[in-house]
Amino acid sequence: MTTMEVPTLAPRPTLRAKGRNIVAVASGKGGVGKTWFSITLSHALARANQRVLLFDGDLGLANVDIQLGLMPKTDLGSVVAGRMTLNQALTRFPEGGFDIIAGRSGSGTLANIPLSRLQMLGDDLVLLAGNYDRVVVDLGAGVEKTTRNFSQQAGTIMVVTTDEPTSLTDAYAFIKVTHMERPGTDMRIVVNMANSTREGERIYNTLLKACEGFLKISPPLAGVIRRDLKVREAIRNQTPIMMRSPNAEAAADVEAIVERLIRSR
């Protein structure tokens, strides 16, 4: 597995303790379906009568709004520029029953935001989270400072991986860095695009073995999402899968993850 040297990002324990209802969705690499999962997770939580905010925390390559077919009038760019507060940047997605805060795709300003401003943004998100049952944060892939800052605010981190060796290796790297900075963090594994539930469990066990062998931790399996062509159809049509294909296997798998998430708190 990968060995990485990263600068320490100091945690902010007081506000962090208030963000227990924040669920950060992470991955070691891109292309594993993290944003799709964040949207579907938010939708499933809303269908379970939860008050939900979906925050696009992928500051450099934001695309939650694109996958939802939205053209929000406000986004994080205005917040970072000081023209509005985070609360004023909310956009309602009535069809899904949840709110979003959009990023701005390809924004160099957001991608290179100073660490002090980034931490203030994270603190504001923790305060805003008090208005919701759950806040889902779609993180950028990897272990960059923006990803690590937002993940520090979360009570739960779901690490999405697939069966690709690079995906598994990079997921392990993310878990390792997070464990080093925040021992005891509630990290759970989501195996996406598995050919079957059994294969997904095998993939999970591969990652679990590495975590137990090298890090002495055992992150649990949040769930397996089966490969489903209806996922691609939903993304192409910029529509949540539970609206376009509510009976899809992948939708049922995410609903099962939500049931376990709600039961665990």
Side-chain angles (χ1 to χ4, degrees), residues 116-254:
S116 58
R117 186 70 185 90
L118 190 62
Q119 290 183 325
M120 290 176 61
L121 189 60
D123 292 348
D124 289 345
L125 179 62
V126 171
L127 293 174
L128 185 59
N131 298 333
Y132 294 89
D133 295 315
R134 304 278 179 173
V135 173
V136 177
V137 180
D138 181 25
L139 297 173
V143 291
E144 298 299 324
K145 66 177 183 180
T146 54
T147 298
R148 290 160 53 215
N149 179 74
F150 286 133
S151 68
Q152 284 188 355
Q153 317 298 337
T156 300
I157 301 176
M158 293 200 177
V159 183
V160 181
T161 187
T162 68
D163 65 343
E164 293 182 11
T166 52
S167 173
L168 281 167
T169 302
D170 292 350
Y172 172 80
F174 178 89
I175 292 169
K176 177 181 177 180
V177 170
T178 303
H179 174 65
M180 290 170 60
E181 291 186 345
R182 290 178 57 196
T185 298
D186 177 12
M187 285 188 282
R188 310 178 190 187
I189 310 300
V190 176
V191 179
N192 193 22
M193 295 184 276
N195 290 324
S196 66
T197 301
R198 178 171 295 182
E199 183 193 71
E201 292 170 348
R202 179 187 60 76
I203 295 165
Y204 162 71
N205 284 325
T206 299
L207 184 55
L208 176 65
K209 185 177 180 180
C211 292
E212 290 181 335
F214 295 103
L215 305 178
K216 311 303 180 188
I217 60 173
S218 303
L221 177 65
V224 174
I225 303 171
R226 290 165 287 179
R227 190 180 300 277
D228 192 333
L229 292 177
K230 290 185 171 57
V231 171
R232 178 168 295 184
E233 292 177 5
I235 293 173
R236 283 179 175 171
N237 284 276
Q238 297 177 283
T239 306
I241 191 169
M242 289 180 182
M243 291 172 58
R244 182 172 176 82
S245 304
N247 297 320
E249 290 181 341
D253 291 338
V254 176

